[in-house]
């Protein structure tokens, strides 16, 4: 009821009703206190799986003694409606605001910080890149991205991360996306958005983006990466979008043109290497002369 939790609409509606009831009673001069609780530790409120998920997004279980003390303070101060939770704002705020800005948090000093993550001195990386060729620079940054992806997504090492595999297929969610942003920001010294893992389709595309941001120039995007990006976009289209964009017709036309180019190239190769007798034979066959 406070900030929205997927999978619990009825529970949220019930909580919102109690919050409204408390305010209504106060408006009528009567007593009421509604507390929106974070999870209590000690078991009985959330299971181990739910507790682990909440901790990952910055909502830790509260010690029951502290939670009971907070309830006492709320009653002593005659509060109407409040939230009592153990929140790691550095973790929770970026994840909560990943899709869009959240007015709910706008007044909190704890989250009124730079939203682009930590930036550290990366002189070693920049010095290393300066001594490499452009191809070596891109390879180094790809290894960096794959290594950090492996850490946040739980792979054994960077070599287990396929460069052309989409981040969503690698198991990324909002939490791992923010974690990757923070790690890459610290490693490169760049200010990166929390959505950087979703703005670039796969580790290779992200490494190319970092290379460009670090002064490598305009990266020539490999054809394979462009095809991966097209495939990812096309797979998300619904029937109406497919019909409206005429993507099937356009792709078929592209395939036909590619076949014609390929056939023309082969014919040109034949003409370039053919003997005189072979050329006359070709004329006889094609023109009926």
């Amino acid at each position: 009821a406070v900030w929205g939790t997927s999978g619990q609409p009825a529970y949220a509606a019930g909580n919102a009703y109690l919050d409204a009831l408390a305010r209504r009673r106060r408006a009528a001069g009567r007593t009421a206190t509604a507390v929106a609780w974070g999870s209590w530790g000690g078991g009985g409120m959330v299971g181990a799986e739910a507790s682990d998920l909440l901790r990952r997004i910055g909502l830790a279980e509260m010690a029951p003694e502290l939670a009971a003390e907070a309830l006492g303070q709320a009653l002593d101060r005659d509060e109407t409606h409040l939230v009592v939770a153990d929140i790691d704002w550095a973790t929770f705020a970026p994840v909560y605001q990943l899709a869009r800005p959240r007015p709910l948090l706008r007044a909190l000093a704890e989250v009124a910080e730079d939203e682009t993550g930590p930036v550290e001195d990366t002189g070693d990386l920049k010095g290393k890149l300066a001594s490499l060729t452009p191809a070596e620079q891109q390879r180094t940054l790809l290894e960096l991205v794959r290594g950090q992806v492996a850490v946040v997504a739980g792979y054994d090492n960077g070599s287990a991360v396929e460069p052309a595999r989409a981040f969503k297929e690698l198991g990324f969610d909002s939490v791992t996306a923010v974690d990757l942003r923070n790690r890459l920001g610290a490693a490169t010294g760049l200010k990166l958005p929390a959505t950087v893992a979703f703005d670039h389709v796969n580790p290779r595309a992200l490494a190319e983006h970092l290379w460009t941001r670090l002064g490598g120039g305009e990266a020539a995007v490999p054809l394979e990466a462009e095809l991966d990006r097209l495939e990812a976009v096309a797979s998300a289209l619904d029937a109406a979008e497919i019909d409206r964009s005429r993507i099937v017709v356009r792709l078929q036309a592209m395939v036909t043109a590619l076949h014609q180019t390929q056939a023309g190239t082969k014919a040109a190769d034949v003409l370039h290497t053919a003997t005189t007798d072979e050329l006359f034979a070709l004329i006889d066959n094609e023109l009926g002369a």
Side-chain angles (χ1 to χ4, degrees), residues 20-21 80 128 141 212:
L21 176 61
T80 300
K128 179 180 180 181
L141 289 172
T212 302

Side-chain angles (χ1 to χ4, degrees), residues 76-97:
D76 291 342
R77 297 173 182 175
D78 203 24
E79 298 278 4
T80 300
H81 176 214
L82 71 162
V83 178
V84 179
D86 184 357
I87 303 175
D88 176 4
W89 291 110
T91 300
F92 178 78
V95 173
Y96 182 55
Q97 299 179 101

Side-chain angles (χ1 to χ4, degrees), residues 74-153:
L75 297 176
D76 291 342
R77 297 173 182 175
D78 203 24
E79 298 278 4
T80 300
H81 176 214
L82 71 162
V83 178
V84 179
D86 184 357
I87 303 175
D88 176 4
W89 291 110
T91 300
F92 178 78
V95 173
Y96 182 55
Q97 299 179 101
L98 188 63
R100 58 189 178 276
R102 304 287 185 168
L104 177 67
L105 305 185
R106 191 170 293 156
L108 298 179
E110 294 90 339
V111 298
E113 300 175 354
D114 185 1
E115 298 178 1
T116 53
V119 177
E120 298 180 2
D121 181 9
T122 58
D124 290 345
L125 175 64
K126 291 181 178 178
K128 179 180 180 181
L129 293 177
S131 64
L132 302 176
T133 66
E136 291 171 335
Q137 291 173 354
Q138 293 182 58
R139 188 159 50 248
T140 298
L141 289 172
L142 179 57
E143 290 173 358
L144 170 65
V145 172
R146 293 174 72 192
Q148 296 302 330
V149 168
V151 173
V152 301

Side-chain angles (χ1 to χ4, degrees), residues 250-274:
R250 295 173 66 182
L251 288 175
Q252 288 174 336
M254 288 172 58
V255 171
T256 300
L258 288 172
H259 280 308
Q260 291 174 345
T261 300
Q262 188 178 40
T265 301
K266 291 180 178 178
D269 290 340
V270 170
L271 291 174
H272 183 70
T273 59

